[in-house]
């Protein structure tokens, strides 16, 4: 073989390893001739160099990306996108290029995957085609794909897809494309044996390019927002102080978020991407059905301070991440009570507790006549100075009609009559939307609840109550006008007992109580169970009431409720569980008990009570921010905190979306972070106690959070919630309401999540785990959860405390913090969350 031919052949080799392999196979004489021709130095293998780290590769790619993608934009994209880019400020130009990069990389990955499935492997060597090698698109793709060989079909497909990227689509084309996608989307449902839809394919998201928001937590004043047109919105800019109003043109399409189209009053159309708008955890065909109920065609939608971006499909659109950013007025009639109950029950069976609650409340808020009867009876009780009965009735009426002025006034009067003027003032502030002092009134709240729950409950219907309830109501009104208040209350009671909707309302309120317990809304559960008992005595309502009180840590109150109730098997069993748990609490969870619980892999009781020792307190720790310190000497094995998760997500081994930490770094994965952030965002929009807890946790911004009690980070009977009312924003003074952005909650999740990996939990169950095991100390694995009180404890490589999970069916139900060695008075509590120094530095910035 001639040397020139050999050089030509070697020049077509695609990589250095292949070249060295071919050189090794050459005959000695040919290798010697080649060395003489090119020089020995040219053929010496390059000196071994350390492979660049993943971090170095990513850093280099990030530095090169803006220049390369500006070429991609100029070479392939629609003139509209180029014009937008030229007119944007520098920071927003970077966001546009980032959006383009996401589209290119994900489209290429998706198309390449499809080609592999189809068996198309027509690959083109980049060295064989100067045109391919030099194209901006190929250089862009090599930022993440270092292979010398790319699929030509995939490159061509991505090139074609960029032709309309960033273009503002005409209305008719926009609607046509959406409806085609919607039809194709519904075809992804799989039918069960009964012909019903069982599953809908959903996609993943990493929540890139979300709306930038200040993390103030202050509620938005909608009345001060000024209207804005779609045409006036600027790409990658927030329309501060503005509100976009329009009608929904098409049915929604649900994948990770909800996609739909909105038309403003000037006829302009824009795509919407609505995230975290459905109850946390709902997915598949249930999500599609709920979205179609909540965002029906023709509904009027208001979007506060809209954020215009370019989506992954290349279309311009508005992304909304917070439920607080939209208000909707749907067209169409409200379902009746039985339909709402049936729909909610189906969702409950599927484990969609928040979605079930939304259905139940939709029905309950239509029960105006039942609410009026409760309000009338409350007024009759007020006249008799039966303050506890009046408070129970007015609170129940407020659950059905939160903005009813008479219910509100009578609730305030009942609190004043009970002798709690400060709680009455809080209620007055909440109902009038004025600012008021935020006071800690836990003891007084507990006293009101205790007094109110002692009220006698009627369990037997009279014959007269099953006749004309309207006539009974009128008799009650007449008796009230004549000053016969006791007689009026009796007539109102009979009218409620005979009302066709009253029993249904009582049933629905029991369902609300149970679903609220499952969803972790314990104050809601307490309120709903108590309200149900004002309408109809039922053992299930008593059970839910006592259960909610126990979970709130109010074991004495729970026992009181059960002691004053007739003996039933279910209630007797619950009473035993409460008594057992009470013994554990009084024993301060001795080290023997904790050791036994760990060995058996489960908590020795029906439920885990949120609890914190009075031996610890939140304090500022020099150089670390907040932490927990001991107020007295703590012995080895003492349990210091028990907590159930405030929000959690989990998967099994077969799940496509694995919820876990990265086992190399110990950090929460993007998929788990997005899933948990989305769930907490949805939950916090309805639960003000959760929103307050999240707002007080570190979110990685560097802002100092106030020092407060450990109690405030636990599920507990909170004075923030008015007695026997819900933990929703309607019942909080405006000054205390908190609205958190998705970005803020995302930061909280990344800094504060806790738990164990699947491997650690498996080892624990097999009896092979110790507290020093590597994976056991990592944050979350098979399930990912937020434990606010525990997250206050700072990290240390030599901790004095250890985490112990309590399991049920292999899944963690809660965590305990136990002393790993004696801690002197004034000592700081520490845990080893991570054992990887790089991960510790990445997560908390400490080494």
């Amino acid at each position: 073989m001639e040397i020139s031919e050999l050089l030509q052949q070697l020049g077509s080799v695609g990589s250095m390893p292949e070249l060295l392999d071919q050189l090794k196979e050459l005959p000695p004489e040919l290798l010697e001739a080649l060395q003489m021709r090119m020089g020995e130095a040219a053929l010496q293998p390059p000196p071994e160099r350390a492979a660049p780290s993943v971090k170095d590769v990513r850093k280099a790619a990030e530095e090169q990306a803006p220049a390369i993608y500006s070429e991609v934009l100029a070479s392939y994209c629609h003139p509209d996108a180029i014009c937008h880019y030229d007119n944007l400020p520098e920071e927003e130009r970077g966001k546009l290029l980032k959006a383009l990069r996401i589209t290119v990389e994900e489209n290429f990955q998706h198309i390449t995957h499809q080609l592999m499935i189809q068996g198309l492997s027509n690959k083109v060597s980049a060295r064989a085609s100067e045109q391919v090698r030099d194209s901006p698109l190929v250089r862009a793709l090599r930022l993440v794909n270092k292979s010398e060989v790319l699929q030509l079909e995939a490159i061509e497909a991505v090139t074609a897809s960029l032709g309309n990227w960033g273009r503002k689509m005409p209305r008719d084309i926009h609607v046509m494309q959406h409806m085609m996608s919607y039809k194709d989307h519904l075809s992804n449902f799989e039918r069960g044996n009964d012909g019903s839809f069982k599953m809908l394919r959903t996609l993943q998201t990493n929540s890139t390019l979300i709306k930038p928001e200040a993390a103030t937590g202050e509620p938005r004043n909608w009345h001060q927002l000024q209207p804005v047109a779609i045409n006036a919105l600027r790409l990658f800019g927030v329309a501060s102080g503005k509100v976009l109003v329009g009608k929904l043109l098409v049915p929604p399409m649900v994948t990770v978020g909800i996609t739909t189209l909105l038309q403003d009053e000037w006829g302009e159309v824009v795509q919407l991407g609505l995230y975290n708008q459905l109850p946390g955890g709902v997915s598949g065909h249930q999500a599609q059905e709920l979205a179609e109920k909540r965002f029906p065609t023709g509904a009027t939608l208001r979007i506060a301070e809209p954020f215009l971006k370019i989506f992954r499909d290349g279309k311009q659109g508005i992304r909304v991440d917070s439920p607080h950013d939209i208000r909707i007025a749907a067209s169409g009639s409200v379902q009746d009570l039985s339909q709402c109950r049936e729909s909610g029950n189906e969702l409950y069976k599927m484990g969609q507790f928040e979605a079930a609650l939304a259905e139940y409340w939709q029905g309950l808020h239509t029960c105006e006549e039942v609410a009026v009867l409760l309000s009338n009876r409350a007024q009759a009780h007020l006249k008799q100075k039966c303050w506890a009965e009046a408070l129970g009735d007015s609170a129940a009426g407020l659950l059905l009609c939160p903005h009813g002025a008479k219910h509100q006034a009578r609730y305030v009067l009942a609190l004043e009559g009970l002798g709690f003027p400060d709680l009455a003032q809080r209620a007055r502030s909440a109902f009038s939307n004025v600012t008021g002092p935020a006071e800690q009134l836990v003891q007084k709240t507990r006293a009101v609840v205790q007094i109110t729950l002692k009220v006698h409950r009627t369990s037997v219907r009279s014959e007269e109550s099953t006749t004309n309830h309207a006539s009974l109501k009128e008799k009650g009104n007449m008796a009230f006008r004549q000053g016969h208040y006791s007689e009026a209350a009796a007539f109102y009671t009979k009218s409620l007992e005979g009302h066709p909707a009253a029993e249904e309302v009582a049933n629905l309120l029991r369902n609300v109580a149970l679903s609220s317990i499952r969803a972790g809304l314990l104050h809601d559960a307490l309120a709903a169970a108590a309200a149900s008992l004002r309408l109809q005595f039922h053992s299930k309502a008593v059970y839910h009431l006592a259960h909610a009180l126990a979970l709130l840590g109010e074991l004495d109150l729970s026992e009181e409720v059960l002691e004053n109730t007739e003996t039933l098997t279910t209630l007797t069993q619950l009473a035993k569980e409460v008594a057992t748990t009470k013994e554990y609490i009084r024993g301060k969870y001795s080290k023997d008990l904790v050791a036994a619980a760990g060995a058996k892999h489960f908590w020795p009781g029906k439920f885990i009570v949120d609890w914190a020792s009075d031996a610890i307190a939140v304090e500022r720790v020099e150089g670390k921010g907040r932490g927990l310190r001991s107020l007295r000497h703590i012995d080895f094995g003492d349990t210091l905190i028990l907590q159930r998760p405030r929000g959690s997500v989990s998967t099994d081994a077969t799940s496509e979306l694995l919820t876990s930490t990265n086992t190399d770094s110990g950090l929460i994965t993007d998929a788990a972070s997005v899933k948990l952030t989305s769930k907490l965002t949805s939950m916090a929009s309805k639960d003000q106690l959760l929103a307050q807890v999240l707002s007080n946790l570190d979110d990685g911004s560097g802002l100092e959070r106030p020092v407060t009690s450990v109690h405030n980070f636990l599920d507990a009977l909170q004075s923030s919630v008015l007695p026997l009312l819900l933990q929703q924003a309607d019942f909080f003074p405006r000054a205390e309401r908190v609205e958190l952005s998705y970005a803020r909650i995302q930061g909280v999740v990344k800094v504060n999540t806790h738990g164990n990996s699947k491997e650690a939990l498996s080892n624990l169950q097999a009896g092979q785990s110790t507290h020093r095991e590597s994976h056991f100390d990592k944050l979350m694995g098979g399930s990912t959860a937020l434990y606010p009180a525990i997250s206050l404890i700072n990290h240390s490589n030599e901790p004095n405390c250890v985490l112990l999970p309590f399991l049920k069916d292999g899944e963690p139900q809660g965590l305990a913090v136990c002393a790993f060695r004696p801690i002197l008075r004034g000592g700081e509590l520490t845990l080893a969350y991570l054992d990887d120094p790089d991960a510790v530095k990445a997560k908390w910035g400490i080494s």
Side-chain angles (χ1 to χ4, degrees):
M1 179 185 295
E2 294 292 333
I3 291 295
S4 58
E5 293 177 353
L6 178 59
L7 287 172
Q8 186 176 1
Q9 178 180 323
L10 293 175
S12 64
V13 175
S15 65
M16 181 59 74
E18 292 175 0
L19 176 62
L20 292 175
D21 288 342
Q22 290 208 20
L23 288 173
K24 290 176 185 177
E25 295 175 1
L26 290 177
E29 61 276 11
L30 196 55
L31 183 60
E32 184 178 348
L34 188 62
Q35 288 174 330
M36 292 178 62
R37 174 75 173 269
M38 300 186 65
E40 281 192 27
L43 290 180
Q44 290 297 324
E48 289 190 9
R49 292 182 297 176
S53 68
V54 174
K55 188 181 296 184
D56 291 337
V57 171
R58 287 177 179 170
K59 183 179 179 181
E62 292 304 319
E63 290 174 351
Q64 299 171 42
I68 294 176
Y69 273 95
S70 62
E71 289 187 60
V72 173
L73 176 70
S75 302
Y76 305 100
C77 295
H78 195 274
D80 284 357
I82 299 171
C83 182
H84 281 303
Y85 177 80
D86 292 339
N87 293 324
L88 287 176
E90 190 64 33
E91 181 182 352
E92 290 167 13
R93 284 186 177 189
K95 293 177 182 177
L96 186 145
L97 294 178
K98 183 178 180 181
L100 177 58
R101 181 177 178 181
I102 292 165
T103 298
V104 167
E105 291 177 355
E106 297 202 354
N107 278 1
F108 182 78
Q109 184 180 13
H110 175 71
I111 293 166
T112 301
H113 179 67
Q114 292 299 314
L115 291 173
M116 289 174 63
I117 292 175
Q118 296 168 14
L120 299 176
S121 57
N122 178 17
K123 296 182 179 179
V124 58
S125 167
R127 289 175 182 247
S129 169
E130 292 297 318
Q131 184 180 358
V132 172
R133 187 185 69 177
D134 290 339
S135 75
L137 183 58
V138 170
R139 292 202 301 276
L141 289 169
R142 289 214 181 105
L143 291 174
V144 290
N145 186 347
K146 297 298 180 182
S147 171
E148 291 288 330
V149 179
L150 299 170
Q151 289 188 255
L152 182 59
E153 293 90 342
I155 295 172
E156 291 173 344
V158 173
T159 301
S161 72
L162 293 177
N164 282 317
W165 190 88
R167 177 189 175 191
K168 189 173 180 181
M169 302 296 291
R171 177 189 185 281
D172 292 343
I173 294 178
H174 227 334
V175 172
M176 179 187 70
Q177 288 181 343
H178 179 91
M179 293 309 298
M180 290 175 63
S181 298
Y182 176 73
K183 183 178 179 182
D184 180 63
H185 177 71
L186 293 185
S187 69
N188 288 314
F189 277 108
E190 293 182 1
R191 290 185 180 272
N193 295 330
D194 59 354
S196 62
F197 292 123
K198 294 296 181 183
M199 187 185 75
L200 180 65
R201 177 178 58 88
T202 57
L203 307 176
Q204 295 185 16
T205 178
N206 61 5
S207 294
T208 52
L209 292 172
I210 62 176
K211 176 180 176 180
E213 293 182 90
T216 61
E218 294 179 0
R220 179 179 287 106
N221 191 335
W222 283 79
H223 299 294
Q224 294 180 355
L225 300 178
Q226 299 299 312
V228 66
I230 292 170
N231 277 340
L233 300 177
R234 190 183 76 236
L235 264 176
F236 300 101
V238 177
S240 299
K242 305 293 184 181
V243 60
L244 176 63
V245 182
K247 288 191 178 294
L248 299 179
L249 281 182
V250 292
M253 181 170 63
V254 181
T255 52
V256 176
I258 299 168
T259 301
T260 185
L261 301 179
L262 179 136
Q263 178 176 288
D264 67 14
E265 61 180 300
W266 293 276
E268 294 295 324
V269 175
V270 69
Q271 179 170 302
L272 300 182
L274 308 175
Y275 293 84
N276 316 308
Q277 305 298 328
L278 300 178
V282 67
S283 60
H285 74 279
Q286 297 110 9
Q288 182 65 38
E289 291 166 3
L290 285 174
E292 291 181 3
K293 284 182 183 178
R294 187 166 184 210
F295 299 97
T297 303
T300 298
L301 188 69
R302 296 163 59 85
I303 304 175
E305 301 186 324
F307 172 64
L308 184 67
K309 61 173 282 185
I310 298 176
F311 288 106
R312 297 183 182 194
D313 61 4
K315 294 187 179 76
Q316 291 187 25
I318 294 170
R319 172 164 180 148
V320 179
D321 283 284
S322 172
H324 296 295
D325 282 351
I326 65 170
R327 288 188 174 180
I328 187 164
S331 57
S333 59
V334 180
Q335 294 172 303
D336 64 27
L337 281 175
S338 60
Q339 286 179 313
C340 288
R341 176 173 52 80
E342 290 169 8
S343 178
N345 289 350
E346 285 300 313
L347 289 164
Y348 179 90
K349 291 173 186 175
M350 296 170 187
Q352 306 292 351
F353 306 122
E354 286 183 71
L357 284 169
E359 291 293 299
Y360 294 144
W361 284 123
Q362 181 177 322
L364 287 169
H365 287 163
T366 67
C367 301
E368 294 182 10
E369 195 168 352
V370 174
V372 167
L373 281 168
L374 285 165
S375 181
N376 287 358
R377 191 170 66 178
Q379 181 69 350
H381 288 318
L382 287 172
K383 291 295 184 180
Q384 299 174 83
K385 298 185 179 181
C386 298
W387 312 117
E389 289 90 338
L391 186 72
D393 280 347
S394 54
L398 278 168
L399 299 196
L400 305 180
C401 186
H403 304 291
K406 288 184 178 180
H407 306 301
Q408 295 172 354
R410 289 162 189 175
Y411 180 89
V412 171
L413 288 172
L415 281 174
E416 289 176 339
L418 284 169
F420 298 98
D422 37 14
L423 283 174
Q425 181 54 45
R426 266 200 96 255
R428 194 177 285 109
S429 298
F431 299 148
S432 60
N433 270 334
V434 299
T435 58
E439 300 179 43
Q440 289 300 313
L441 305 165
V442 177
Q443 293 300 329
K444 295 180 181 180
T445 302
R446 183 177 294 117
V448 172
V449 172
Q450 183 177 28
I451 293 167
T452 310
L453 296 182
K454 288 181 178 177
V455 173
H456 175 70
R457 302 171 185 93
T458 305
S459 59
V460 181
R461 286 189 173 196
S462 67
E463 286 298 321
E464 190 177 5
S465 70
T466 61
T467 58
N468 191 341
H469 67 90
S471 173
L472 290 168
K473 176 187 173 185
E474 185 52 42
K475 288 180 180 179
N477 291 344
M478 185 177 297
F480 186 92
R481 287 192 291 268
Q482 293 171 350
H484 303 151
Y485 304 121
S486 177
E487 186 180 346
F491 277 122
Y492 292 140
T493 299
K494 290 177 180 178
S495 181
L496 279 167
E497 289 173 353
H499 197 287
E503 184 171 3
E504 186 71 18
V505 170
N507 289 337
L508 269 176
L509 284 167
R510 290 197 297 273
N511 288 357
V512 166
L514 177 58
S515 300
S516 296
I517 288 173
R518 296 288 186 266
L521 298 165
L522 300 180
H523 283 267
D524 284 13
L526 169 62
S532 179
L533 288 168
R534 296 304 300 156
L535 291 167
Q536 179 190 77
F537 178 85
H538 199 287
S539 60
K540 285 185 178 179
V542 177
Y543 186 98
H544 300 328
L545 180 64
H547 192 189
L549 284 168
L551 292 173
L552 285 166
E554 300 295 331
L555 297 172
D556 290 335
L557 277 177
S558 180
E559 277 190 330
E560 272 192 46
V561 168
L562 294 168
E563 286 170 1
N564 293 332
T565 308
E566 57 190 279
T567 303
L568 297 169
T569 304
T570 54
L571 299 181
T572 302
Q573 182 60 39
L574 179 60
K576 290 179 181 177
E577 295 289 350
V578 171
T580 303
T581 304
K582 197 172 176 180
E583 289 176 14
Y584 297 157
I585 289 281
R586 286 174 176 165
K588 295 186 180 176
Y589 300 98
S590 69
K591 59 185 178 184
D592 294 336
L593 174 66
V594 172
K600 295 176 183 176
H601 322 310
F602 63 88
W603 176 244
K606 186 174 178 61
F607 43 79
I608 300 173
V609 175
D610 273 11
W611 174 83
S613 168
D614 58 7
I616 59 176
V618 183
E619 290 186 11
R620 296 258 178 233
V621 180
E622 187 175 352
K624 296 183 180 180
R626 293 179 307 182
L628 295 184
R629 285 196 184 278
S630 60
L631 299 177
R632 60 172 183 263
H633 179 80
I634 295 171
D635 291 328
F636 170 83
D638 282 358
T639 300
L640 304 173
I641 299 177
L642 276 166
Q643 188 166 32
R644 297 185 308 279
R646 286 307 306 264
S648 64
V649 292
S650 62
T651 58
D652 55 41
T654 63
S655 174
E656 186 177 331
L657 176 63
L658 180 63
T659 303
S660 67
T661 50
N662 182 300
T663 53
D664 296 324
S665 69
L667 300 177
I668 185 171
T669 60
D670 283 344
S673 173
V674 168
K675 195 174 180 184
L676 182 54
T677 302
S678 178
K679 185 169 186 178
L680 288 171
T681 302
S682 173
M683 291 168 62
S685 69
K686 306 172 188 68
D687 179 359
Q688 277 294 292
L689 284 184
L690 176 60
Q692 289 177 355
V693 167
L694 294 176
S695 72
N696 205 12
L697 290 176
D698 183 10
D699 60 4
S701 65
L703 294 175
E704 264 193 1
R705 305 297 168 195
V707 172
T708 184
S709 70
V710 183
H711 175 90
N712 289 342
F713 292 91
L714 298 170
D715 271 332
L717 192 65
Q718 292 277 359
S719 61
S720 298
V721 181
L722 290 165
L724 303 187
L725 293 182
L726 308 176
Q727 53 206 86
Q728 297 171 9
D730 283 336
F731 303 108
F732 282 69
R734 180 171 292 279
E736 297 177 32
R737 296 179 190 176
V738 176
E739 294 182 2
L740 298 179
S741 69
Y742 179 88
R744 173 77 176 275
I745 295 176
Q746 190 176 51
V748 168
V749 166
K750 288 183 177 179
V751 172
N752 295 281
T753 41
H754 288 82
N756 306 102
S757 66
K758 281 183 174 291
E759 181 180 342
L761 295 176
S762 176
N763 289 342
L764 179 69
Q765 288 180 297
Q768 300 169 0
S769 181
T770 69
H771 75 278
R772 301 300 299 170
E773 187 168 327
S774 170
H775 286 127
F776 191 70
D777 289 333
K778 293 186 183 298
L779 293 188
M780 238 348 189
S783 64
T784 306
L786 179 69
Y787 295 87
I790 295 174
S791 71
L792 294 172
I793 304 174
N794 285 313
H795 171 83
S796 172
N797 292 322
E798 297 182 357
N800 54 25
C801 296
V802 67
L803 284 173
L804 178 65
F806 293 107
L807 310 177
K808 181 179 181 181
D809 300 327
E811 292 292 336
Q813 302 299 300
L815 289 176
V817 177
C818 305
F820 178 57
R821 58 172 180 263
I823 304 173
L824 298 177
R825 178 180 178 179
E828 185 192 0
L829 276 61
T830 55
L831 283 166
Y833 296 119
L834 299 172
D835 54 10
D836 181 342
D838 290 337
V840 171
K841 189 171 183 180
K843 192 171 184 70
W844 296 294
I846 59 176
S847 55

